[in-house]
mmCIF file of all heavy atoms in Angstrom:
data_model
loop_
_atom_site.group_PDB
_atom_site.id
_atom_site.type_symbol
_atom_site.label_atom_id
_atom_site.label_comp_id
_atom_site.label_asym_id
_atom_site.label_seq_id
_atom_site.Cartn_x
_atom_site.Cartn_y
_atom_site.Cartn_z
ATOM 1 N N MET A 1 -10.307 -12.912 26.234
ATOM 2 C CA MET A 1 -9.146 -13.448 25.524
ATOM 3 C C MET A 1 -8.733 -12.470 24.453
ATOM 4 O O MET A 1 -9.497 -12.099 23.578
ATOM 5 C CB MET A 1 -9.495 -14.813 24.920
ATOM 6 C CG MET A 1 -8.370 -15.380 24.055
ATOM 7 S SD MET A 1 -8.767 -17.042 23.500
ATOM 8 C CE MET A 1 -7.615 -17.186 22.121
ATOM 9 N N ARG A 2 -7.527 -12.011 24.554
ATOM 10 C CA ARG A 2 -7.025 -11.059 23.577
ATOM 11 C C ARG A 2 -5.933 -11.736 22.752
ATOM 12 O O ARG A 2 -5.150 -12.495 23.260
ATOM 13 C CB ARG A 2 -6.440 -9.823 24.264
ATOM 14 C CG ARG A 2 -7.478 -9.093 25.099
ATOM 15 C CD ARG A 2 -6.822 -7.987 25.906
ATOM 16 N NE ARG A 2 -6.278 -6.946 25.046
ATOM 17 C CZ ARG A 2 -6.974 -5.888 24.608
ATOM 18 N NH1 ARG A 2 -8.235 -5.753 24.954
ATOM 19 N NH2 ARG A 2 -6.424 -4.980 23.851
ATOM 20 N N GLY A 3 -5.957 -11.420 21.485
ATOM 21 C CA GLY A 3 -4.952 -12.025 20.633
ATOM 22 C C GLY A 3 -5.381 -11.958 19.193
ATOM 23 O O GLY A 3 -6.426 -11.397 18.874
ATOM 24 N N PHE A 4 -4.602 -12.525 18.354
ATOM 25 C CA PHE A 4 -4.902 -12.477 16.938
ATOM 26 C C PHE A 4 -6.039 -13.413 16.599
ATOM 27 O O PHE A 4 -6.016 -14.587 16.938
ATOM 28 C CB PHE A 4 -3.655 -12.855 16.141
ATOM 29 C CG PHE A 4 -3.903 -12.857 14.660
ATOM 30 C CD1 PHE A 4 -4.091 -11.664 13.974
ATOM 31 C CD2 PHE A 4 -3.956 -14.053 13.964
ATOM 32 C CE1 PHE A 4 -4.317 -11.669 12.614
ATOM 33 C CE2 PHE A 4 -4.184 -14.060 12.596
ATOM 34 C CZ PHE A 4 -4.361 -12.863 11.928
ATOM 35 N N ASP A 5 -7.059 -12.855 15.958
ATOM 36 C CA ASP A 5 -8.185 -13.663 15.523
ATOM 37 C C ASP A 5 -8.480 -13.325 14.069
ATOM 38 O O ASP A 5 -8.979 -12.241 13.777
ATOM 39 C CB ASP A 5 -9.398 -13.358 16.395
ATOM 40 C CG ASP A 5 -10.574 -14.281 16.051
ATOM 41 O OD1 ASP A 5 -10.542 -14.931 14.993
ATOM 42 O OD2 ASP A 5 -11.524 -14.346 16.851
ATOM 43 N N PRO A 6 -8.135 -14.201 13.158
ATOM 44 C CA PRO A 6 -8.279 -13.898 11.731
ATOM 45 C C PRO A 6 -9.720 -13.728 11.287
ATOM 46 O O PRO A 6 -9.973 -13.192 10.222
ATOM 47 C CB PRO A 6 -7.626 -15.092 11.036
ATOM 48 C CG PRO A 6 -7.680 -16.195 12.048
ATOM 49 C CD PRO A 6 -7.558 -15.511 13.397
ATOM 50 N N SER A 7 -10.670 -14.146 12.118
ATOM 51 C CA SER A 7 -12.073 -14.046 11.719
ATOM 52 C C SER A 7 -12.674 -12.696 12.072
ATOM 53 O O SER A 7 -13.778 -12.386 11.665
ATOM 54 C CB SER A 7 -12.885 -15.157 12.362
ATOM 55 O OG SER A 7 -12.949 -14.977 13.761
ATOM 56 N N THR A 8 -11.940 -11.901 12.818
ATOM 57 C CA THR A 8 -12.496 -10.618 13.240
ATOM 58 C C THR A 8 -11.547 -9.468 12.930
ATOM 59 O O THR A 8 -11.369 -8.570 13.718
ATOM 60 C CB THR A 8 -12.811 -10.631 14.747
ATOM 61 O OG1 THR A 8 -11.613 -10.928 15.456
ATOM 62 C CG2 THR A 8 -13.876 -11.651 15.083
ATOM 63 N N THR A 9 -10.944 -9.531 11.785
ATOM 64 C CA THR A 9 -10.039 -8.448 11.408
ATOM 65 C C THR A 9 -10.831 -7.173 11.160
ATOM 66 O O THR A 9 -11.889 -7.187 10.566
ATOM 67 C CB THR A 9 -9.250 -8.811 10.138
ATOM 68 O OG1 THR A 9 -10.164 -9.204 9.136
ATOM 69 C CG2 THR A 9 -8.281 -9.936 10.411
ATOM 70 N N THR A 10 -10.302 -6.085 11.619
ATOM 71 C CA THR A 10 -10.937 -4.796 11.406
ATOM 72 C C THR A 10 -9.960 -3.870 10.702
ATOM 73 O O THR A 10 -8.798 -4.203 10.507
ATOM 74 C CB THR A 10 -11.371 -4.163 12.732
ATOM 75 O OG1 THR A 10 -10.210 -3.840 13.482
ATOM 76 C CG2 THR A 10 -12.246 -5.105 13.517
ATOM 77 N N SER A 11 -10.439 -2.711 10.354
ATOM 78 C CA SER A 11 -9.612 -1.771 9.609
ATOM 79 C C SER A 11 -8.577 -1.096 10.501
ATOM 80 O O SER A 11 -7.599 -0.562 10.023
ATOM 81 C CB SER A 11 -10.495 -0.717 8.952
ATOM 82 O OG SER A 11 -11.197 -0.006 9.946
ATOM 83 N N GLU A 12 -8.809 -1.102 11.792
ATOM 84 C CA GLU A 12 -7.935 -0.345 12.681
ATOM 85 C C GLU A 12 -6.945 -1.227 13.432
ATOM 86 O O GLU A 12 -5.965 -0.746 13.970
ATOM 87 C CB GLU A 12 -8.773 0.441 13.692
ATOM 88 C CG GLU A 12 -9.681 1.460 13.045
ATOM 89 C CD GLU A 12 -8.911 2.542 12.305
ATOM 90 O OE1 GLU A 12 -7.782 2.861 12.730
ATOM 91 O OE2 GLU A 12 -9.422 3.064 11.301
ATOM 92 N N ASP A 13 -7.242 -2.497 13.505
ATOM 93 C CA ASP A 13 -6.380 -3.366 14.286
ATOM 94 C C ASP A 13 -5.606 -4.315 13.391
ATOM 95 O O ASP A 13 -6.184 -5.151 12.720
ATOM 96 C CB ASP A 13 -7.225 -4.181 15.269
ATOM 97 C CG ASP A 13 -7.896 -3.278 16.283
ATOM 98 O OD1 ASP A 13 -7.210 -2.390 16.808
ATOM 99 O OD2 ASP A 13 -9.093 -3.461 16.528
ATOM 100 N N GLY A 14 -4.323 -4.158 13.411
ATOM 101 C CA GLY A 14 -3.484 -5.089 12.681
ATOM 102 C C GLY A 14 -3.470 -4.820 11.194
ATOM 103 O O GLY A 14 -4.246 -4.018 10.682
ATOM 104 N N PRO A 15 -2.593 -5.483 10.499
ATOM 105 C CA PRO A 15 -2.482 -5.314 9.059
ATOM 106 C C PRO A 15 -3.613 -6.002 8.318
ATOM 107 O O PRO A 15 -4.221 -6.949 8.809
ATOM 108 C CB PRO A 15 -1.137 -5.952 8.726
ATOM 109 C CG PRO A 15 -0.981 -7.016 9.765
ATOM 110 C CD PRO A 15 -1.634 -6.464 11.012
ATOM 111 N N ALA A 16 -3.880 -5.515 7.112
ATOM 112 C CA ALA A 16 -4.891 -6.153 6.278
ATOM 113 C C ALA A 16 -4.294 -7.381 5.600
ATOM 114 O O ALA A 16 -3.100 -7.441 5.335
ATOM 115 C CB ALA A 16 -5.378 -5.163 5.230
ATOM 116 N N ASP A 17 -5.126 -8.344 5.352
ATOM 117 C CA ASP A 17 -4.651 -9.534 4.641
ATOM 118 C C ASP A 17 -4.594 -9.237 3.147
ATOM 119 O O ASP A 17 -5.529 -8.678 2.583
ATOM 120 C CB ASP A 17 -5.601 -10.708 4.867
ATOM 121 C CG ASP A 17 -5.596 -11.173 6.318
ATOM 122 O OD1 ASP A 17 -4.637 -10.843 7.035
ATOM 123 O OD2 ASP A 17 -6.545 -11.869 6.710
ATOM 124 N N CYS A 18 -3.530 -9.651 2.527
ATOM 125 C CA CYS A 18 -3.419 -9.472 1.088
ATOM 126 C C CYS A 18 -4.416 -10.390 0.371
ATOM 127 O O CYS A 18 -4.456 -11.583 0.648
ATOM 128 C CB CYS A 18 -1.995 -9.798 0.648
ATOM 129 S SG CYS A 18 -1.796 -9.801 -1.144
ATOM 130 N N PRO A 19 -5.231 -9.832 -0.529
ATOM 131 C CA PRO A 19 -6.213 -10.664 -1.241
ATOM 132 C C PRO A 19 -5.566 -11.565 -2.283
ATOM 133 O O PRO A 19 -6.201 -12.478 -2.800
ATOM 134 C CB PRO A 19 -7.136 -9.632 -1.888
ATOM 135 C CG PRO A 19 -6.284 -8.433 -2.086
ATOM 136 C CD PRO A 19 -5.314 -8.423 -0.919
ATOM 137 N N TYR A 20 -4.325 -11.304 -2.592
ATOM 138 C CA TYR A 20 -3.653 -12.077 -3.642
ATOM 139 C C TYR A 20 -2.907 -13.279 -3.078
ATOM 140 O O TYR A 20 -2.986 -14.380 -3.619
ATOM 141 C CB TYR A 20 -2.676 -11.192 -4.404
ATOM 142 C CG TYR A 20 -3.345 -9.995 -5.031
ATOM 143 C CD1 TYR A 20 -3.159 -8.719 -4.519
ATOM 144 C CD2 TYR A 20 -4.183 -10.161 -6.137
ATOM 145 C CE1 TYR A 20 -3.784 -7.620 -5.091
ATOM 146 C CE2 TYR A 20 -4.812 -9.072 -6.711
ATOM 147 C CZ TYR A 20 -4.615 -7.805 -6.187
ATOM 148 O OH TYR A 20 -5.238 -6.732 -6.739
ATOM 149 N N CYS A 21 -2.170 -13.051 -2.004
ATOM 150 C CA CYS A 21 -1.363 -14.155 -1.480
ATOM 151 C C CYS A 21 -1.694 -14.477 -0.023
ATOM 152 O O CYS A 21 -1.184 -15.434 0.532
ATOM 153 C CB CYS A 21 0.121 -13.828 -1.631
ATOM 154 S SG CYS A 21 0.679 -12.489 -0.566
ATOM 155 N N GLY A 22 -2.568 -13.651 0.606
ATOM 156 C CA GLY A 22 -2.970 -13.941 1.965
ATOM 157 C C GLY A 22 -1.979 -13.504 3.024
ATOM 158 O O GLY A 22 -2.181 -13.738 4.206
ATOM 159 N N SER A 23 -0.921 -12.848 2.594
ATOM 160 C CA SER A 23 0.085 -12.416 3.551
ATOM 161 C C SER A 23 -0.398 -11.241 4.371
ATOM 162 O O SER A 23 -1.210 -10.432 3.922
ATOM 163 C CB SER A 23 1.352 -12.026 2.786
ATOM 164 O OG SER A 23 2.299 -11.457 3.670
ATOM 165 N N THR A 24 0.087 -11.127 5.586
ATOM 166 C CA THR A 24 -0.234 -9.961 6.404
ATOM 167 C C THR A 24 0.923 -8.979 6.409
ATOM 168 O O THR A 24 0.927 -8.016 7.161
ATOM 169 C CB THR A 24 -0.553 -10.387 7.848
ATOM 170 O OG1 THR A 24 0.531 -11.143 8.357
ATOM 171 C CG2 THR A 24 -1.826 -11.211 7.899
ATOM 172 N N GLU A 25 1.896 -9.233 5.554
ATOM 173 C CA GLU A 25 3.012 -8.290 5.432
ATOM 174 C C GLU A 25 2.578 -7.151 4.517
ATOM 175 O O GLU A 25 3.056 -7.003 3.393
ATOM 176 C CB GLU A 25 4.243 -9.000 4.852
ATOM 177 C CG GLU A 25 4.832 -10.023 5.799
ATOM 178 C CD GLU A 25 5.400 -9.375 7.042
ATOM 179 O OE1 GLU A 25 6.004 -8.297 6.921
ATOM 180 O OE2 GLU A 25 5.211 -9.922 8.141
ATOM 181 N N THR A 26 1.652 -6.348 5.015
ATOM 182 C CA THR A 26 1.105 -5.267 4.204
ATOM 183 C C THR A 26 1.293 -3.939 4.906
ATOM 184 O O THR A 26 1.399 -3.859 6.120
ATOM 185 C CB THR A 26 -0.392 -5.492 3.940
ATOM 186 O OG1 THR A 26 -1.097 -5.546 5.175
ATOM 187 C CG2 THR A 26 -0.626 -6.796 3.187
ATOM 188 N N GLU A 27 1.317 -2.910 4.101
ATOM 189 C CA GLU A 27 1.423 -1.566 4.637
ATOM 190 C C GLU A 27 0.197 -0.777 4.228
ATOM 191 O O GLU A 27 -0.299 -0.920 3.116
ATOM 192 C CB GLU A 27 2.673 -0.873 4.067
ATOM 193 C CG GLU A 27 3.965 -1.553 4.471
ATOM 194 C CD GLU A 27 5.161 -0.860 3.847
ATOM 195 O OE1 GLU A 27 4.959 -0.070 2.910
ATOM 196 O OE2 GLU A 27 6.280 -1.107 4.306
ATOM 197 N N ARG A 28 -0.263 0.074 5.124
ATOM 198 C CA ARG A 28 -1.395 0.922 4.775
ATOM 199 C C ARG A 28 -0.868 2.240 4.224
ATOM 200 O O ARG A 28 0.014 2.858 4.798
ATOM 201 C CB ARG A 28 -2.251 1.188 6.014
ATOM 202 C CG ARG A 28 -3.449 2.064 5.692
ATOM 203 C CD ARG A 28 -4.392 2.136 6.870
ATOM 204 N NE ARG A 28 -5.544 2.949 6.544
ATOM 205 C CZ ARG A 28 -6.652 2.992 7.269
ATOM 206 N NH1 ARG A 28 -6.749 2.277 8.346
ATOM 207 N NH2 ARG A 28 -7.654 3.756 6.904
ATOM 208 N N GLU A 29 -1.439 2.626 3.114
ATOM 209 C CA GLU A 29 -1.027 3.890 2.508
ATOM 210 C C GLU A 29 -2.158 4.896 2.638
ATOM 211 O O GLU A 29 -3.295 4.552 2.931
ATOM 212 C CB GLU A 29 -0.672 3.669 1.041
ATOM 213 C CG GLU A 29 0.500 2.694 0.877
ATOM 214 C CD GLU A 29 0.904 2.546 -0.581
ATOM 215 O OE1 GLU A 29 0.190 3.067 -1.442
ATOM 216 O OE2 GLU A 29 1.928 1.914 -0.818
ATOM 217 N N HIS A 30 -1.830 6.136 2.379
ATOM 218 C CA HIS A 30 -2.852 7.170 2.464
ATOM 219 C C HIS A 30 -3.859 6.987 1.330
ATOM 220 O O HIS A 30 -3.470 6.681 0.209
ATOM 221 C CB HIS A 30 -2.218 8.558 2.352
ATOM 222 C CG HIS A 30 -1.331 8.881 3.519
ATOM 223 N ND1 HIS A 30 -1.834 9.134 4.770
ATOM 224 C CD2 HIS A 30 0.003 8.966 3.613
ATOM 225 C CE1 HIS A 30 -0.815 9.378 5.587
ATOM 226 N NE2 HIS A 30 0.315 9.281 4.917
ATOM 227 N N PRO A 31 -5.112 7.212 1.625
ATOM 228 C CA PRO A 31 -6.137 7.090 0.580
ATOM 229 C C PRO A 31 -5.864 8.063 -0.548
ATOM 230 O O PRO A 31 -5.526 9.214 -0.311
ATOM 231 C CB PRO A 31 -7.432 7.451 1.316
ATOM 232 C CG PRO A 31 -7.141 7.236 2.772
ATOM 233 C CD PRO A 31 -5.675 7.518 2.931
ATOM 234 N N LYS A 32 -5.993 7.576 -1.747
ATOM 235 C CA LYS A 32 -5.740 8.417 -2.904
ATOM 236 C C LYS A 32 -7.034 8.977 -3.484
ATOM 237 O O LYS A 32 -7.017 9.890 -4.269
ATOM 238 C CB LYS A 32 -5.006 7.630 -3.986
ATOM 239 C CG LYS A 32 -3.608 7.199 -3.542
ATOM 240 C CD LYS A 32 -2.903 6.462 -4.667
ATOM 241 C CE LYS A 32 -1.457 6.129 -4.290
ATOM 242 N NZ LYS A 32 -1.397 5.207 -3.143
ATOM 243 N N GLY A 33 -8.149 8.424 -3.108
ATOM 244 C CA GLY A 33 -9.428 8.858 -3.644
ATOM 245 C C GLY A 33 -10.182 9.722 -2.645
ATOM 246 O O GLY A 33 -9.749 9.890 -1.512
ATOM 247 N N PRO A 34 -11.321 10.253 -3.078
ATOM 248 C CA PRO A 34 -12.124 11.119 -2.219
ATOM 249 C C PRO A 34 -12.900 10.356 -1.165
ATOM 250 O O PRO A 34 -13.336 10.919 -0.171
ATOM 251 C CB PRO A 34 -13.077 11.818 -3.194
ATOM 252 C CG PRO A 34 -13.219 10.829 -4.315
ATOM 253 C CD PRO A 34 -11.891 10.119 -4.414
ATOM 254 N N GLY A 35 -13.069 9.079 -1.369
ATOM 255 C CA GLY A 35 -13.863 8.292 -0.433
ATOM 256 C C GLY A 35 -13.093 7.973 0.831
ATOM 257 O O GLY A 35 -11.930 7.596 0.785
ATOM 258 N N LEU A 36 -13.749 8.122 1.959
ATOM 259 C CA LEU A 36 -13.102 7.814 3.226
ATOM 260 C C LEU A 36 -13.400 6.393 3.670
ATOM 261 O O LEU A 36 -12.917 5.954 4.694
ATOM 262 C CB LEU A 36 -13.584 8.784 4.304
ATOM 263 C CG LEU A 36 -13.230 10.254 4.048
ATOM 264 C CD1 LEU A 36 -13.847 11.114 5.139
ATOM 265 C CD2 LEU A 36 -11.728 10.457 4.007
ATOM 266 N N CYS A 37 -14.197 5.699 2.878
ATOM 267 C CA CYS A 37 -14.622 4.365 3.301
ATOM 268 C C CYS A 37 -13.709 3.282 2.743
ATOM 269 O O CYS A 37 -13.971 2.108 2.864
ATOM 270 C CB CYS A 37 -16.059 4.102 2.874
ATOM 271 S SG CYS A 37 -16.305 4.150 1.096
ATOM 272 N N ARG A 38 -12.643 3.697 2.114
ATOM 273 C CA ARG A 38 -11.720 2.690 1.632
ATOM 274 C C ARG A 38 -10.285 3.163 1.833
ATOM 275 O O ARG A 38 -10.011 4.345 1.896
ATOM 276 C CB ARG A 38 -11.965 2.379 0.156
ATOM 277 C CG ARG A 38 -11.597 3.525 -0.774
ATOM 278 C CD ARG A 38 -11.893 3.149 -2.201
ATOM 279 N NE ARG A 38 -11.519 4.223 -3.124
ATOM 280 C CZ ARG A 38 -11.697 4.152 -4.436
ATOM 281 N NH1 ARG A 38 -12.251 3.089 -4.968
ATOM 282 N NH2 ARG A 38 -11.325 5.153 -5.199
ATOM 283 N N SER A 39 -9.389 2.227 1.932
ATOM 284 C CA SER A 39 -8.002 2.566 2.149
ATOM 285 C C SER A 39 -7.134 1.761 1.193
ATOM 286 O O SER A 39 -7.532 0.712 0.700
ATOM 287 C CB SER A 39 -7.606 2.280 3.603
ATOM 288 O OG SER A 39 -7.856 0.924 3.925
ATOM 289 N N ILE A 40 -5.979 2.304 0.946
ATOM 290 C CA ILE A 40 -5.050 1.645 0.033
ATOM 291 C C ILE A 40 -3.978 0.928 0.841
ATOM 292 O O ILE A 40 -3.404 1.488 1.765
ATOM 293 C CB ILE A 40 -4.386 2.674 -0.896
ATOM 294 C CG1 ILE A 40 -5.451 3.507 -1.611
ATOM 295 C CG2 ILE A 40 -3.485 1.976 -1.908
ATOM 296 C CD1 ILE A 40 -6.379 2.715 -2.505
ATOM 297 N N HIS A 41 -3.744 -0.287 0.486
ATOM 298 C CA HIS A 41 -2.700 -1.060 1.145
ATOM 299 C C HIS A 41 -1.716 -1.577 0.100
ATOM 300 O O HIS A 41 -2.032 -1.658 -1.082
ATOM 301 C CB HIS A 41 -3.301 -2.257 1.892
ATOM 302 C CG HIS A 41 -4.221 -1.855 3.002
ATOM 303 N ND1 HIS A 41 -3.854 -1.857 4.317
ATOM 304 C CD2 HIS A 41 -5.505 -1.427 2.961
ATOM 305 C CE1 HIS A 41 -4.878 -1.451 5.056
ATOM 306 N NE2 HIS A 41 -5.894 -1.178 4.257
ATOM 307 N N PHE A 42 -0.550 -1.924 0.578
ATOM 308 C CA PHE A 42 0.466 -2.457 -0.323
ATOM 309 C C PHE A 42 1.058 -3.703 0.301
ATOM 310 O O PHE A 42 1.472 -3.699 1.457
ATOM 311 C CB PHE A 42 1.553 -1.401 -0.566
ATOM 312 C CG PHE A 42 2.627 -1.873 -1.503
ATOM 313 C CD1 PHE A 42 2.431 -1.834 -2.880
ATOM 314 C CD2 PHE A 42 3.832 -2.361 -1.008
ATOM 315 C CE1 PHE A 42 3.418 -2.268 -3.753
ATOM 316 C CE2 PHE A 42 4.828 -2.804 -1.880
ATOM 317 C CZ PHE A 42 4.614 -2.754 -3.248
ATOM 318 N N CYS A 43 1.066 -4.778 -0.470
ATOM 319 C CA CYS A 43 1.592 -6.040 0.034
ATOM 320 C C CYS A 43 3.088 -6.108 -0.225
ATOM 321 O O CYS A 43 3.538 -5.985 -1.360
ATOM 322 C CB CYS A 43 0.884 -7.211 -0.644
ATOM 323 S SG CYS A 43 1.551 -8.814 -0.138
ATOM 324 N N ARG A 44 3.837 -6.288 0.834
ATOM 325 C CA ARG A 44 5.292 -6.386 0.674
ATOM 326 C C ARG A 44 5.719 -7.777 0.233
ATOM 327 O O ARG A 44 6.841 -7.996 -0.176
ATOM 328 C CB ARG A 44 5.974 -6.038 2.006
ATOM 329 C CG ARG A 44 5.972 -4.552 2.265
ATOM 330 C CD ARG A 44 6.648 -4.242 3.566
ATOM 331 N NE ARG A 44 5.817 -4.638 4.713
ATOM 332 C CZ ARG A 44 6.191 -4.465 5.972
ATOM 333 N NH1 ARG A 44 7.349 -3.949 6.253
ATOM 334 N NH2 ARG A 44 5.398 -4.832 6.951
ATOM 335 N N SER A 45 4.804 -8.729 0.355
ATOM 336 C CA SER A 45 5.137 -10.104 -0.006
ATOM 337 C C SER A 45 5.102 -10.301 -1.519
ATOM 338 O O SER A 45 6.033 -10.827 -2.111
ATOM 339 C CB SER A 45 4.169 -11.055 0.677
ATOM 340 O OG SER A 45 4.519 -12.398 0.397
ATOM 341 N N CYS A 46 4.008 -9.866 -2.142
ATOM 342 C CA CYS A 46 3.896 -10.043 -3.595
ATOM 343 C C CYS A 46 3.946 -8.701 -4.323
ATOM 344 O O CYS A 46 3.784 -8.646 -5.534
ATOM 345 C CB CYS A 46 2.623 -10.808 -3.951
ATOM 346 S SG CYS A 46 1.082 -9.994 -3.500
ATOM 347 N N GLU A 47 4.175 -7.628 -3.566
ATOM 348 C CA GLU A 47 4.359 -6.302 -4.145
ATOM 349 C C GLU A 47 3.171 -5.873 -4.992
ATOM 350 O O GLU A 47 3.333 -5.385 -6.100
ATOM 351 C CB GLU A 47 5.658 -6.238 -4.949
ATOM 352 C CG GLU A 47 6.878 -6.551 -4.082
ATOM 353 C CD GLU A 47 8.174 -6.375 -4.848
ATOM 354 O OE1 GLU A 47 8.140 -6.494 -6.087
ATOM 355 O OE2 GLU A 47 9.199 -6.100 -4.213
ATOM 356 N N GLN A 48 1.973 -6.101 -4.458
ATOM 357 C CA GLN A 48 0.757 -5.698 -5.149
ATOM 358 C C GLN A 48 -0.027 -4.721 -4.285
ATOM 359 O O GLN A 48 -0.240 -4.983 -3.102
ATOM 360 C CB GLN A 48 -0.128 -6.922 -5.439
ATOM 361 C CG GLN A 48 0.458 -7.857 -6.476
ATOM 362 C CD GLN A 48 0.404 -7.283 -7.874
ATOM 363 O OE1 GLN A 48 -0.462 -6.474 -8.196
ATOM 364 N NE2 GLN A 48 1.333 -7.675 -8.712
ATOM 365 N N PRO A 49 -0.452 -3.621 -4.863
ATOM 366 C CA PRO A 49 -1.328 -2.720 -4.129
ATOM 367 C C PRO A 49 -2.758 -3.230 -4.170
ATOM 368 O O PRO A 49 -3.160 -3.891 -5.127
ATOM 369 C CB PRO A 49 -1.193 -1.398 -4.890
ATOM 370 C CG PRO A 49 -0.901 -1.802 -6.289
ATOM 371 C CD PRO A 49 -0.105 -3.092 -6.185
ATOM 372 N N PHE A 50 -3.508 -2.960 -3.125
ATOM 373 C CA PHE A 50 -4.913 -3.371 -3.133
ATOM 374 C C PHE A 50 -5.723 -2.431 -2.261
ATOM 375 O O PHE A 50 -5.197 -1.789 -1.362
ATOM 376 C CB PHE A 50 -5.061 -4.822 -2.668
ATOM 377 C CG PHE A 50 -4.586 -5.078 -1.255
ATOM 378 C CD1 PHE A 50 -5.470 -5.038 -0.195
ATOM 379 C CD2 PHE A 50 -3.248 -5.385 -1.021
ATOM 380 C CE1 PHE A 50 -5.031 -5.285 1.106
ATOM 381 C CE2 PHE A 50 -2.796 -5.635 0.275
ATOM 382 C CZ PHE A 50 -3.693 -5.586 1.338
ATOM 383 N N GLU A 51 -7.013 -2.365 -2.569
ATOM 384 C CA GLU A 51 -7.915 -1.517 -1.797
ATOM 385 C C GLU A 51 -8.662 -2.367 -0.781
ATOM 386 O O GLU A 51 -8.936 -3.539 -1.017
ATOM 387 C CB GLU A 51 -8.931 -0.845 -2.720
ATOM 388 C CG GLU A 51 -8.315 0.171 -3.651
ATOM 389 C CD GLU A 51 -9.376 0.845 -4.493
ATOM 390 O OE1 GLU A 51 -10.536 0.404 -4.481
ATOM 391 O OE2 GLU A 51 -9.036 1.820 -5.179
ATOM 392 N N ARG A 52 -8.971 -1.729 0.319
ATOM 393 C CA ARG A 52 -9.740 -2.433 1.337
ATOM 394 C C ARG A 52 -10.888 -1.517 1.754
ATOM 395 O O ARG A 52 -10.665 -0.385 2.156
ATOM 396 C CB ARG A 52 -8.854 -2.754 2.525
ATOM 397 C CG ARG A 52 -9.570 -3.554 3.609
ATOM 398 C CD ARG A 52 -8.599 -3.842 4.742
ATOM 399 N NE ARG A 52 -9.224 -4.552 5.839
ATOM 400 C CZ ARG A 52 -9.309 -5.871 5.933
ATOM 401 N NH1 ARG A 52 -8.804 -6.624 5.003
ATOM 402 N NH2 ARG A 52 -9.877 -6.428 6.970
ATOM 403 N N PHE A 53 -12.092 -2.019 1.641
ATOM 404 C CA PHE A 53 -13.261 -1.237 2.026
ATOM 405 C C PHE A 53 -13.525 -1.393 3.514
ATOM 406 O O PHE A 53 -13.361 -2.474 4.066
ATOM 407 C CB PHE A 53 -14.478 -1.673 1.214
ATOM 408 C CG PHE A 53 -14.352 -1.298 -0.239
ATOM 409 C CD1 PHE A 53 -13.741 -2.155 -1.138
ATOM 410 C CD2 PHE A 53 -14.820 -0.071 -0.682
ATOM 411 C CE1 PHE A 53 -13.606 -1.807 -2.475
ATOM 412 C CE2 PHE A 53 -14.698 0.279 -2.020
ATOM 413 C CZ PHE A 53 -14.089 -0.588 -2.918
ATOM 414 N N GLU A 54 -13.923 -0.300 4.118
ATOM 415 C CA GLU A 54 -14.144 -0.324 5.555
ATOM 416 C C GLU A 54 -15.611 -0.095 5.887
ATOM 417 O O GLU A 54 -16.332 0.447 5.099
ATOM 418 C CB GLU A 54 -13.295 0.762 6.215
ATOM 419 C CG GLU A 54 -11.815 0.518 5.953
ATOM 420 C CD GLU A 54 -10.966 1.642 6.544
ATOM 421 O OE1 GLU A 54 -11.526 2.514 7.210
ATOM 422 O OE2 GLU A 54 -9.763 1.628 6.320
HETATM 423 ZN ZN1 ZN B 1 0.395 -10.349 -1.380
#
């Protein structure tokens, strides 16, 4: 069964959930730090940037 499963979100499939409002209307931005284990996302719903660890 293929499809959207909110319990198995990964860093590579689909948008990240916004930790502030829960929206998936987010964009992934280029990492600004030296660490490759985290990525920067931006929520278009509440206009808040957030980090996501992978
Ligand atoms: Zn948001």
Side-chain angles (χ1 to χ4, degrees):
M1 175 175 161
R2 299 173 65 88
F4 179 71
D5 185 345
S7 67
T8 58
T9 53
T10 67
S11 61
E12 298 297 329
D13 296 315
D17 293 341
C18 173
Y20 302 107
C21 69
S23 173
T24 55
E25 292 294 321
T26 60
E27 297 178 345
R28 180 171 181 167
E29 298 184 352
H30 294 289
K32 295 182 175 64
L36 297 176
C37 61
R38 69 181 181 181
S39 57
I40 306 298
H41 297 259
F42 181 81
C43 177
R44 284 180 287 180
S45 183
C46 63
E47 301 185 335
Q48 291 288 332
F50 61 94
E51 292 183 350
R52 183 179 177 89
F53 291 88
E54 299 177 5

